[in-house]
Every structure is written in structure tokens, then in C-alpha cells.
Amino acid sequence: MKLRELAHSRTGDKGNTSNISVIAYRLEDYARLEAAVTVERVRGHLGALVRGEVVRYALPGLGALNFVLTRTLGGGVTRSLALDAHGKCLSSAILDLEIETPA
């Protein structure tokens, strides 16, 4: 199943850093998100788009994970030659992550 079936996302960017929050639709699905959406999976899923560090912050009270990705935006929104590889596109990409379907 796709991550988008359990969660939605909000993003922001500043300079060459993207901030992506993954928020469970239902608080009871948070533990699944926390187990499935790791730094390693996010880095692997986004591949060469992430040239810097990926840091994950857990926000269990909100049912959310927040990822800060450095050196991700091709130098920043105003410097990048990419048409739209900024925060909003990255949030859509992360929601395309495959996670295990419960038995």
C-alpha cells in the first residue's frame, strides 16, 4: 500500500533545505508510520534528490513525523534550474512510498 493511504503531508522550504511532515489520518496508525517511514527509507526513496542529511523528528502527540532534508532543493528555489522539485513535489513523492499492508 502507498503511504498516502495512511497519511497526508505538509511541506516547507528555506534556502536549500526542505521540511516534510508526514501526518497520520488516524492517531492509531502513528506507530505504523513510525516503524515504516525511517530516515533510510526516505533517503532511499528520494534518491539523488537528497544530497545532504536527512533528520527525522517524531511527534507522537500529533501523530506525525517531520523530516528535515538538507542540500535537497538544487541550491534553493530561486537558484534551481528544476521546474518544480521543491517542497510540495517532494511531499507528493514521499507519499508514494510503499509500506507493508497489514495482514
Side-chain angles (χ1 to χ4, degrees), residues 5 15 19 22 29 35 46 81:
E5 295 179 47
N19 181 30
V22 176
D29 289 327
L46 297 177
L81 296 177

Side-chain angles (χ1 to χ4, degrees), residues 28-99:
E28 55 266 26
D29 289 327
Y30 172 75
R32 245 177 107 192
L33 293 182
E34 190 173 34
V37 189
T38 63
V39 166
E40 295 77 16
R41 299 256 352 256
V42 168
R43 178 180 289 287
H45 186 68
L46 297 177
L49 292 174
V50 181
R51 295 188 173 151
E53 187 177 19
V54 177
V55 178
R56 182 179 91 163
Y57 297 94
L59 303 159
L62 299 175
L65 300 171
N66 186 58
F67 292 89
V68 177
L69 298 82
T70 61
R71 297 183 55 221
T72 303
L73 301 173
V77 174
T78 58
R79 295 188 57 188
S80 175
L81 296 177
L83 291 176
D84 198 18
H86 309 306
K88 288 169 184 53
C89 287
L90 293 176
S91 72
S92 182
I94 204 168
L95 291 175
D96 210 33
L97 183 71
E98 286 285 342
I99 59 173

